[in-house]
């Protein structure tokens, strides 16, 4: 009898524990990982100013959307954070509902859905996040094509472009830089085929810590992560905008359709676009969505404007339309 009671007690605890964990959260944000874009500082600020607990969530954009869709009949999440192409997919799949946060009118037209289904909160420039100490004396690569050299065998990483937004952005950047177009992804496919010979590492989640530790010496990543490492971690880190060129990519938030804590979620979305919220992003080396100047102390830590001139804005709506075709080719021909 004691054994039966013990089993029943343990079963009750396993059922209650997740409920208590969910109950403790005021708002659930899918894909708000502490090591990405310094969400850790933002969530601390929200706790301090709004007194809302938002748990860390280490999904990527594709996983966040998949979770929201899986829970559509009984939503758990309140906010989704996505690379812009996944924000567009979320709207198309009826996963979001419109909400225009405070200061929405100050976000440029190209950086928001006209009906408020998704809104950019910040953007980053894609390039190479390099741990110089982990290169074993090899030079910091300056160009995309440098990564194909045998010197960098086993040293290069990129997030899975079939799942993570930054993975697809990397593919678009390589493709356009090497002469491709939205209707011709041959340069990117050929590049990744060649890169396979160098045994690249292809994780699905953000891999900031793996670069900092030296496990992954070179990663396709955004400027804000590289600058964070350069100015806050022990070691020697560099950000490179490849000589052939790169792209700028917006990150967006949206209100989950039928979110269980909708009113609190709206206040969080307001906070992300507030003066204080946008300033927090600049402290994390992100470009704010609203036209707020970077503080001089922050701007001085970025690469020169002449380097950023190689990073172009692209029509991400068009890129979203051709994403599936690229992913199908990547899975069939590269992976």
């Amino acid at each position: 009898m004691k054994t039966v009671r013990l089993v029943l007690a343990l079963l009750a605890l396993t059922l209650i524990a997740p409920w208590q964990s969910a109950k403790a959260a005021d708002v659930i944000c899918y894909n708000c990982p502490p090591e990405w874009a310094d969400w850790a500082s933002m969530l601390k600020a929200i706790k301090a100013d709004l007194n809302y607990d938002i748990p860390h969530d280490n999904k990527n954009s594709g996983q966040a959307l998949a979770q929201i869709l899986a829970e559509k009949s009984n939503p758990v999440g309140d906010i989704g954070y996505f690379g812009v192409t996944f924000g567009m997919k979320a709207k198309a799949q009826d996963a979001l509902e419109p909400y225009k946060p405070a200061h929405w009118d100050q976000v440029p037209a190209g950086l928001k859905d006209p009906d408020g289904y998704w809104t950019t909160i910040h953007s980053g420039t894609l390039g190479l996040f390099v741990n110089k100490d982990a290169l074993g004396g090899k030079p910091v690569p300056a160009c995309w094509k440098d990564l194909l050299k045998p010197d960098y065998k086993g040293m290069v990483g990129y997030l899975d472009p079939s799942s993570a937004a930054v993975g697809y952005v990397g593919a678009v950047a390589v493709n356009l830089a090497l002469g491709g177009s939205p209707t011709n992804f041959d340069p990117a496919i050929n590049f990744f085929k060649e890169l396979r010979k160098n045994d690249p590492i292809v994780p699905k989640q953000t891999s900031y810590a793996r670069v900092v530790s030296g496990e992954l010496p070179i990663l396709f990543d955004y400027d804000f992560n590289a600058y964070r490492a350069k100015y806050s971690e022990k070691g020697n880190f560099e950000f490179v905008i490849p000589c052939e060129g790169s792209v700028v990519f917006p990150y967006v938030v949206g209100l989950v359709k039928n979110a269980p804590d909708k009113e609190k979620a709206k206040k969080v979305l307001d906070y992300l676009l507030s003066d204080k919220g946008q300033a927090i992003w600049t402290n994390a080396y992100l470009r704010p969505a609203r036209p707020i100047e970077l503080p001089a102390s922050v701007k001085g830590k970025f690469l020169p404007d002449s380097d950023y001139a190689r990073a172009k804005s692209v029509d991400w709506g068009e890129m979203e339309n051709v994403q599936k075709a690229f992913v199908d080719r990547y899975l069939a021909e590269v992976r």
Side-chain angles (χ1 to χ4, degrees), residues 8 12 189 206 227 263 272 304 331:
L8 290 174
I189 294 295
T206 178
Y227 295 141
E263 294 311 310
L272 298 180
L331 294 174

Side-chain angles (χ1 to χ4, degrees), residues 52 139 173-174 219 241 247 253 262 311:
Y52 291 168
V174 167
L219 179 67
I241 299 175
V247 297
V253 287
K262 186 180 299 186

Side-chain angles (χ1 to χ4, degrees), residues 21-36:
S21 176
K23 189 77 173 174
D26 293 291
V27 176
I28 300 292
C29 178
Y30 284 156
N31 186 25
C32 291
E35 291 186 347
W36 176 264

Side-chain angles (χ1 to χ4, degrees), residues 66-85:
Q67 186 82 23
I68 292 168
L69 292 172
E71 296 167 352
K72 209 168 181 182
S73 62
N74 188 24
V76 175
D78 301 293
I79 292 169
Y81 168 72
F82 315 96
V84 65
T85 55

Side-chain angles (χ1 to χ4, degrees), residues 221-241:
D221 205 349
Y222 293 110
D223 51 356
F224 52 83
N225 279 331
Y227 295 141
R228 175 188 168 200
K230 183 172 184 175
Y231 298 112
S232 66
E233 304 283 0
K234 291 181 180 178
N236 294 298
F237 303 95
E238 201 65 63
F239 178 64
V240 177
I241 299 175

Side-chain angles (χ1 to χ4, degrees), residues 104-265:
W104 183 88
D105 58 320
Q106 294 179 25
V107 177
L111 297 180
K112 61 190 177 186
D113 176 76
D115 298 314
Y117 282 89
W118 52 262
T119 305
T120 296
I121 51 174
H122 55 231
S123 63
T125 295
L126 192 107
L128 304 177
F129 173 16
V130 182
N131 183 330
K132 295 164 69 175
D133 295 332
L135 292 179
K138 299 177 179 65
V140 174
C143 306
W144 293 115
K145 289 185 177 179
D146 286 345
L147 305 179
L148 304 178
K149 296 175 180 177
D151 281 356
Y152 300 106
K153 191 177 183 70
M155 290 188 170
V156 180
Y158 63 91
L159 267 65
D160 184 350
S162 70
S163 176
V166 64
Y168 180 56
V169 177
V172 170
V174 167
N175 192 58
L176 296 178
L178 300 184
S181 71
T183 57
N184 175 23
F185 266 93
D186 288 346
I189 294 295
N190 292 334
F191 174 86
F192 287 115
K193 281 181 180 177
E194 287 297 308
L195 190 59
R196 278 200 70 181
K197 298 174 184 176
N198 258 1
D199 298 332
I201 301 165
V202 189
K204 289 186 180 294
Q205 265 89 20
T206 178
S207 296
Y208 176 88
R210 295 175 72 177
V211 180
V212 170
S213 71
E215 177 192 350
L216 213 174
I218 304 165
L219 179 67
F220 292 26
D221 205 349
Y222 293 110
D223 51 356
F224 52 83
N225 279 331
Y227 295 141
R228 175 188 168 200
K230 183 172 184 175
Y231 298 112
S232 66
E233 304 283 0
K234 291 181 180 178
N236 294 298
F237 303 95
E238 201 65 63
F239 178 64
V240 177
I241 299 175
C243 68
E244 302 96 336
S246 191
V247 297
V248 178
F249 190 69
Y251 274 81
V252 308
V253 287
L255 180 64
V256 174
K257 188 173 184 179
N258 299 317
D261 282 301
K262 186 180 299 186
E263 294 311 310
K264 289 181 180 178

